[in-house]
Amino acid sequence: MFSNIGEWRRSVYCGEVSTDHIGREVTLMGWIQRRRDHGGLIFIDLRDREGIVQLVFNPERSKDVHERAHCLRNEYVIAVKGTVAKRPEGTENPSIRTGDVEVIVKEFRILNDSLQTPFVIEDRVEVTENLRLKYRYLDLRRTALQKNLILRHRVSMAVREFLSREGFIEIETPFLTKSTPEGARDFLVPSRLNPGTFYALPQSPQIFKQILMIAGFDRYFQIVKCFRDEDLRADRQPEFTQIDLEMSFVERDDVMGIVEGLLYHIFRTAVGIDLTLPFPRLTHSEAMERYGLDAPDTRFGLELRDVTGIVRGSAFKVFSDTIAKGGIVKAINAKGCGGFSRKDLDELTEYAKTFGAKGLAWIRILPEEWQSPIAKFLSDEEKRGLTEVLKPEPGDLILFSADDAKTANTVLGRIRLKIAERLDLIPKGGFEFVWVTDFPLLEYDEGEGRFKSVHHPFTSPMDEDVEKLATSPLEVRSKAYDIVLNGEEIGGGSIRIHRSDIQEDIFRRLGISDEEASRRFGFLLEALRYGTPPHGGIALGLDRLVAIIAGAESIRDVIAFPKTQKAVCLMSDAPSAVDTKQLDELSIKVIKRT
Ligand code: ASP
């Protein structure tokens, strides 16, 4: 029953058969999407990576071929020879690219059969993602995923093309390496040849790319896997891909200019869209002030307002006490949300609490009054002040967050997004980029009782802020920049510290002892002493970028073999136990925790 392809060769992809082929003989190879028996004729949709074409088996043409076609089932792999014909008037299918034509089959070979698949290979599959991930090879047959991976390939090609043209050299850096400094947990790999020691898989090629600058390569890039052992909340993967680059003899604007050119080229060649350059820029403090988040979605307004000055002396103690303790009060006017029910408001409050809010004050603006549990505490002057800033009209809803600046901003920033979703304010299909610059260099980690780098410890402080390192470290701004697309951070980088004395000083300020710095980063500190050029770079998240371009819901939809939230590959069943022999060779013993 089965054949090999023998001397048959495909002449065209199924999805590419067109009216140009009418009257010609074609040879197709693909998978059976569906078989329909219709008034003596058998119709089969044949699928390959480019799409679907309709095959017709007509008993009047060949009784034998028609007879054999009865045994064909979904997902069988067949090769077909036939003639392309225009579909009879009225039977065209405008929803597929090949919908004006069909292939009248002369001969076919069954190359392989298939078990009945656990789900139908169609774009709108109604199955759990876990089942799709277990049978990923079937899931990947779906047009949407095929398109996503082909898009991903086109983006990678555009990256290589543009950066090579700009004089960047692609250089691979090691996967078996030492712990790197991006601040997440490392994946460790035991060394058999050096028992008791471990490599770390790179969280990024950060140190190596800086060393490549010291080595004189001037412009480096790599499309590279990075590994971070984080709890996979949100849409993250333990291994993900970065477009990583580094340049010598540059300042911020040079790196940002290259990235703008790169994104322009990607969008033009891979998606056919001309972006408008340069991208707008916001400083970190502006972003926080206006949008509450450091990756602001600037596609719609609904900006946050600081009303601290207005309610400083308020009889509403939550406001005045918070301000007295150094906090702030921010508000937004959710236009037209005055009709939110008590249940809606309770849900919003619960949502706010997940970002650290203690509560969420609100005022419904009615034609005659401000309706709210806090209204009675507000003086006329406060109401006047709020009216001036928030311009409320009947039917609006004002929402407040009162907390330390970071929490107040984050909470209301998140609420802003929620409201925008609800009001359908977020335009679909557009791509809005914004740079966020002037990040603080350091933040204070209450839990650990020490300063931490906001970006990473190799990021340079702003020249004019260096002196403040000793006196007011939290006010020191860095030469770091993030690129944000539609409210998602898709990349970040910085100008680096290229002087070993400043680098050592920063390590000390981060509470990293000289001994620890030399143990972890000694090779970099040493290298920095041998003529290091000023340099800087950036890394863009390829998975996220492609996901946004593809309009995919999750980065899992643009990764061929992604892992679950629990970092498991459901198809291969990794991670899994290994033989004791393998463990013995690695001098490793597994201790079961009870
Ligand atoms: N190594 C940084 C990161 O992975 C990017 C950079 O600073 O170039 O986020």
Side-chain angles (χ1 to χ4, degrees):
M1 169 179 168
F2 299 117
S3 319
N4 284 323
I5 56 170
E7 74 293 357
W8 285 24
R9 288 295 172 273
R10 173 177 48 219
S11 64
V12 59
Y13 279 113
C14 298
E16 287 178 339
V17 180
S18 72
T19 45
D20 294 347
H21 296 96
I22 290 175
R24 302 218 318 247
E25 188 180 291
V26 291
T27 308
L28 308 169
M29 318 240 163
W31 287 261
I32 295 177
Q33 170 88 16
R34 192 150 31 119
R35 195 193 84 197
R36 296 178 312 275
D37 294 8
H38 235 292
L41 298 174
I42 294 177
F43 293 95
I44 280 181
D45 289 341
L46 192 66
R47 169 181 18 88
D48 62 21
R49 72 164 212 217
E50 297 301 325
I52 286 173
V53 70
Q54 174 165 292
L55 310 179
V56 186
F57 296 78
N58 187 338
E60 285 167 19
R61 293 253 174 158
S62 163
K63 236 183 150 41
D64 167 53
V65 168
H66 179 266
E67 195 51 45
R68 281 175 53 230
H70 275 111
C71 73
L72 296 175
R73 297 284 176 273
N74 284 2
E75 300 312 315
Y76 276 29
V77 188
I78 61 172
V80 168
K81 277 190 196 295
T83 315
V84 180
K86 195 169 163 22
R87 287 202 198 187
E89 189 94 15
T91 65
E92 297 91 345
N93 177 1
S95 66
I96 57 171
R97 200 150 50 116
T98 62
D100 286 334
V101 292
E102 57 193 12
V103 177
I104 316 295
V105 179
K106 273 196 188 149
E107 267 185 88
F108 74 92
R109 292 179 175 179
I110 303 178
L111 306 178
N112 216 337
D113 62 356
S114 165
L115 294 177
Q116 191 179 354
T117 54
F119 50 87
V120 190
I121 315 298
E122 269 172 3
D123 261 349
R124 277 173 295 278
V125 277
E126 298 282 325
V127 287
T128 62
E129 195 182 15
N130 279 1
L131 194 67
R132 288 175 39 206
L133 290 174
K134 179 165 161 52
Y135 295 96
R136 187 62 165 173
Y137 40 90
L138 299 178
D139 194 27
L140 285 172
R141 281 185 196 166
R142 297 189 302 123
T143 317
L145 291 189
Q146 299 253 325
K147 275 199 181 134
N148 287 354
L149 292 187
I150 293 170
L151 170 70
R152 185 183 174 114
H153 159 74
R154 287 214 304 269
V155 171
S156 298
M157 287 286 288
V159 170
R160 293 204 158 93
E161 209 171 71
F162 176 83
L163 291 176
S164 309
R165 199 168 72 206
E166 291 293 325
F168 286 77
I169 297 167
E170 185 166 10
I171 303 177
E172 290 163 79
T173 51
F175 278 3
L176 295 178
T177 178
K178 231 174 137 75
S179 181
T180 39
E182 307 292 346
R185 213 174 283 116
D186 288 320
F187 278 101
L188 297 177
V189 180
S191 162
R192 178 181 59 85
L193 295 175
N194 306 279
T197 64
F198 297 82
Y199 303 97
L201 298 180
Q203 292 185 30
S204 87
Q206 184 61 35
I207 297 182
F208 286 100
K209 68 174 171 172
Q210 291 193 234
I211 288 181
L212 286 170
M213 295 305 103
I214 303 175
F217 282 96
D218 197 83
R219 289 181 165 206
Y220 137 97
F221 86 100
Q222 192 179 185
I223 298 180
V224 63
K225 272 291 178 70
C226 300
F227 306 85
R228 297 184 192 176
D229 187 6
E230 292 171 298
D231 290 329
L232 303 179
R233 35 179 185 94
D235 196 15
R236 300 248 179 104
Q237 285 285 307
E239 53 178 312
F240 57 95
T241 307
Q242 285 189 345
I243 305 164
D244 193 50
L245 60 93
E246 196 75 9
M247 309 164 73
S248 291
F249 308 109
V250 289
E251 280 295 352
R252 254 189 343 181
D253 284 354
D254 304 296
V255 182
M256 291 161 87
I258 281 290
V259 172
E260 289 182 348
L262 171 64
L263 287 165
Y264 183 88
H265 185 72
I266 292 174
F267 274 75
R268 159 144 256 199
T269 55
V271 209
I273 289 176
D274 282 337
L275 299 175
T276 309
L277 298 185
F279 300 146
R281 297 184 185 191
L282 285 173
T283 63
H284 177 261
S285 58
E286 267 175 313
M288 297 305 284
E289 185 66 24
R290 292 171 54 189
Y291 302 100
L293 302 172
D294 56 12
D297 193 336
T298 51
R299 288 174 296 174
F300 59 95
L302 209 68
E303 292 187 19
L304 280 49
R305 303 284 166 188
D306 193 330
V307 297
T308 311
I310 300 168
V311 296
R312 187 178 299 280
S314 184
F316 182 50
K317 286 288 167 221
V318 173
F319 288 171
S320 43
D321 286 355
T322 303
I323 300 168
K325 276 189 260 152
I328 60 169
V329 180
K330 300 277 290 250
I332 49 171
N333 179 359
K335 285 261 147 225
C337 293
F340 273 25
S341 66
R342 200 51 203 248
K343 184 162 162 275
D344 291 330
L345 291 165
D346 287 347
E347 271 170 22
L348 267 187
T349 309
E350 282 313 306
Y351 182 67
K353 285 184 181 163
T354 61
F355 298 99
K358 291 175 207 73
L360 191 68
W362 52 266
I363 301 174
R364 280 200 196 104
I365 311 294
L366 304 182
E368 301 296 322
E369 56 159 344
W370 286 15
Q371 188 199 62
S372 158
I374 72 166
K376 60 176 180 288
F377 298 107
L378 296 177
S379 68
D380 287 345
E381 202 187 327
E382 283 166 341
K383 284 188 182 170
R384 257 198 311 278
L386 292 174
T387 304
E388 209 167 283
V389 176
L390 296 160
K391 314 226 167 3
E393 290 170 4
D396 291 351
L397 173 74
I398 300 180
L399 295 163
F400 297 89
S401 67
D403 223 306
D404 61 86
K406 194 169 175 198
T407 314
N409 278 325
T410 310
V411 166
L412 217 53
R414 292 286 166 184
I415 294 283
R416 171 180 175 267
L417 295 178
K418 204 72 182 164
I419 299 274
E421 237 171 65
R422 177 103 187 215
L423 296 182
D424 215 5
L425 293 181
I426 308 175
K428 299 203 173 52
F431 299 102
E432 202 150 313
F433 288 92
V434 59
W435 285 105
V436 180
T437 63
D438 297 28
F439 279 80
L441 183 74
L442 304 169
E443 62 191 346
Y444 193 71
D445 186 319
E446 298 283 350
E448 293 190 24
R450 66 176 186 91
F451 289 106
K452 281 205 159 154
S453 301
V454 170
H455 190 47
H456 53 54
F458 310 124
T459 298
S460 170
M462 293 260 196
D463 304 327
E464 59 271 37
D465 289 357
V466 170
E467 277 176 13
K468 285 197 225 152
L469 268 173
T471 50
S472 34
L474 290 175
E475 282 172 28
V476 177
R477 290 162 306 158
S478 73
K479 293 186 187 172
Y481 32 79
D482 274 1
I483 178 82
V484 175
L485 169 54
N486 293 354
E488 293 198 57
E489 184 210 318
I490 56 154
S494 59
I495 295 299
R496 326 297 184 189
I497 299 167
H498 68 282
R499 300 253 326 247
S500 60
D501 52 341
I502 302 182
Q503 186 64 71
E504 282 168 28
D505 182 48
I506 294 288
F507 281 146
R508 273 180 226 124
R509 292 187 193 283
L510 292 172
I512 301 176
S513 68
D514 290 357
E515 182 271 323
E516 186 187 349
S518 122
R519 183 167 47 80
R520 288 176 58 195
F521 312 118
F523 63 109
L524 174 72
L525 289 173
E526 185 170 24
L528 283 173
R529 293 193 191 101
Y530 287 94
T532 300
H535 62 284
I538 194 164
L540 306 180
L542 179 67
D543 310 296
R544 177 122 311 137
L545 178 63
V546 176
I548 298 177
I549 298 177
E553 266 171 34
S554 152
I555 60 169
R556 294 187 294 281
D557 289 340
V558 299
I559 297 174
F561 302 105
K563 299 200 168 51
T564 62
Q565 296 273 309
K566 288 198 87 182
V568 168
C569 170
L570 293 175
M571 187 183 72
S572 67
D573 205 22
S576 48
V578 295
D579 295 341
T580 10
K581 180 162 173 283
Q582 263 178 304
L583 289 177
D584 285 346
E585 279 174 350
L586 294 167
S587 316
I588 284 184
K589 217 186 198 94
V590 176
I591 297 169
K592 287 232 159 36
R593 286 215 189 118
T594 46

